[in-house]
Amino acid sequence: MMRLSQTDIDGQLENLSGWSVVNEKLRKEFQFESFSQAFGFMARAAMEIEKMDHHPEWLNAYNKITIELTTHDAGGITKNDIDLAKILNSLE
């Protein structure tokens, strides 16, 4: 998988609501009404993540989930990261 150029990433960000690049990773903070809603999102996301075999870095604190995406083997953001971000947005 090839690392995307900054121009490609910028173009993709226009269609990725809430995502930005922080420390060379795609990053978004999801916020829910309760811990159980956040946990439900994580469970739904886990199913899609396993299908892709592309695992994010994430942190859960009560009703907030911070997700960071990068492809370590490529040394940066790839199409897999963009695709997973789109899937995660669809589960929100």
Side-chain angles (χ1 to χ4, degrees):
M1 186 67 47
M2 297 269 308
R3 179 180 179 165
L4 296 176
S5 70
Q6 189 60 51
T7 302
D8 290 335
I9 294 167
D10 292 342
Q12 292 292 331
L13 283 174
E14 292 177 14
N15 300 316
L16 285 174
S17 177
W19 291 89
S20 61
V21 176
V22 177
N23 296 325
E24 298 185 27
K25 298 176 185 178
L26 282 180
R27 184 180 192 278
K28 182 173 180 178
E29 183 177 282
F30 294 82
Q31 185 164 342
F32 300 89
E33 291 184 22
S34 66
F35 171 77
S36 61
Q37 286 182 347
F39 193 86
F41 170 83
M42 288 188 294
R44 291 188 307 278
M47 302 300 284
E48 298 300 323
I49 289 163
E50 281 297 308
K51 286 180 197 174
M52 289 184 73
D53 192 29
H54 188 58
H55 301 88
E57 298 173 16
W58 67 12
L59 171 68
N60 168 238
Y62 182 61
N63 67 335
K64 293 179 185 172
I65 303 166
T66 303
I67 298 178
E68 294 183 336
L69 303 173
T70 189
T71 302
H72 297 285
D73 292 345
I77 298 168
T78 66
K79 185 177 181 314
N80 275 355
D81 300 305
I82 300 295
D83 292 345
L84 183 52
K86 290 176 182 176
I87 290 168
L88 294 170
N89 275 2
S90 77
L91 298 174
E92 189 174 11

